[in-house]
Amino acid sequence: MIDSLISFLEELMVQPIFYPLLGLLITIDALCPLVPSETVINLAGAFSGSRGVPNPWVLIGAVTAGAIIGDNLCYMLGSRLIGVVNRLDPESKAGKAMEWVRVNMNQRAGVTIIVARFLPWARWIATIALGSVRYNWFLFFFYDTIGVLLWASIGVGVGYLGGTLFADYPLLAMAIGVTLGGLVGWGIQKAQQAFFEWNDVRRGVSAL
């Protein structure tokens, strides 16, 4: 069964259609963060590292294109979707992400846009919130593109690293690739919080 699964994945990922399908998945994820796009990206990167397919550079391109399209669609729909955001349960995962976005957005919108790309609910809320208040689109596009390029490169890259290190054990390689990807996103969020808290203390201002 395991061999059949690996064969199926290899057959799927070697097809040219895989890239546009992946880009479409990433676009849908930007509009509705219930799709586990990070897992798919890490998995594809790990498979590339262990099996040689799909091409990692084309993967990054497909992921980048899909994320930029999705984020900008979400930004344009901001005024229509902000009501959904405002009704989120404050105690839910999405609600806590909303609070994180609002606190950080008031102080440093550019960095928040970049970091939010690594946090599924936060990036969705940030794009909607910015669109709803008509935040400068050029600045949004600029910061979002930087965040997307980093997100796509790191997501594929850590998966690829796991796949390369454990090329003889494809399932283990994929599991490690996905785990590394999750740890990177978590680490970026914690590093951002620690830096902002340090900077606020240095400046003698409240983080809130």
Side-chain angles (χ1 to χ4, degrees):
M1 182 176 179
I2 293 177
D3 290 338
S4 298
L5 174 61
I6 294 174
S7 297
F8 170 75
L9 290 173
E10 187 170 15
E11 183 177 347
L12 174 64
M13 293 188 184
V14 77
Q15 300 298 322
I17 192 66
F18 175 72
Y19 302 108
L21 286 177
L22 178 61
L24 178 61
L25 175 70
I26 302 303
T27 299
I28 294 173
D29 170 69
L31 294 168
C32 180
L34 298 177
V35 180
S37 62
E38 279 87 357
T39 301
V40 177
I41 294 169
N42 300 149
L43 189 63
F47 210 87
S48 177
S50 63
R51 285 293 197 255
V53 290
N55 185 297
W57 298 110
V58 183
L59 271 180
I60 292 174
V63 170
T64 299
I68 290 176
I69 291 171
D71 285 350
N72 281 272
L73 285 174
C74 204
Y75 172 89
M76 288 189 294
L77 294 171
S79 60
R80 298 184 180 183
L81 296 175
I82 191 63
V84 176
V85 171
N86 289 332
R87 290 194 297 270
L88 292 173
D89 179 2
E91 298 303 317
S92 68
K93 185 176 181 180
K96 292 177 181 178
M98 177 175 64
E99 181 62 22
W100 177 88
V101 168
R102 286 177 171 168
V103 168
N104 287 280
M105 197 70 72
N106 290 333
Q107 302 176 28
R108 43 190 85 80
V111 176
T112 301
I113 293 171
I114 294 172
V115 175
R117 187 12 76 180
F118 292 83
L119 312 174
W121 282 105
R123 64 174 174 253
W124 180 73
I125 291 167
T127 52
I128 291 174
L130 289 168
S132 69
V133 299
R134 299 294 189 271
Y135 179 78
N136 185 287
W137 176 79
F138 178 80
L139 289 177
F140 170 78
F141 183 82
F142 175 74
Y143 289 123
D144 182 64
T145 300
I146 293 175
V148 166
L149 286 170
L150 290 172
W151 176 73
S153 300
I154 292 174
V156 173
V158 295
Y160 188 91
L161 176 63
T164 301
L165 293 176
F166 298 93
D168 295 332
Y169 307 94
L171 284 181
L172 178 60
M174 288 184 281
I176 290 176
V178 171
T179 301
L180 285 175
L183 288 174
V184 167
W186 178 83
I188 288 175
Q189 181 187 16
K190 294 301 180 183
Q192 178 256 8
Q193 291 177 341
F195 173 77
F196 285 169
E197 289 174 2
W198 170 82
N199 193 46
D200 287 336
V201 171
R202 182 180 64 83
R203 292 165 55 216
V205 299
S206 171
L208 299 176

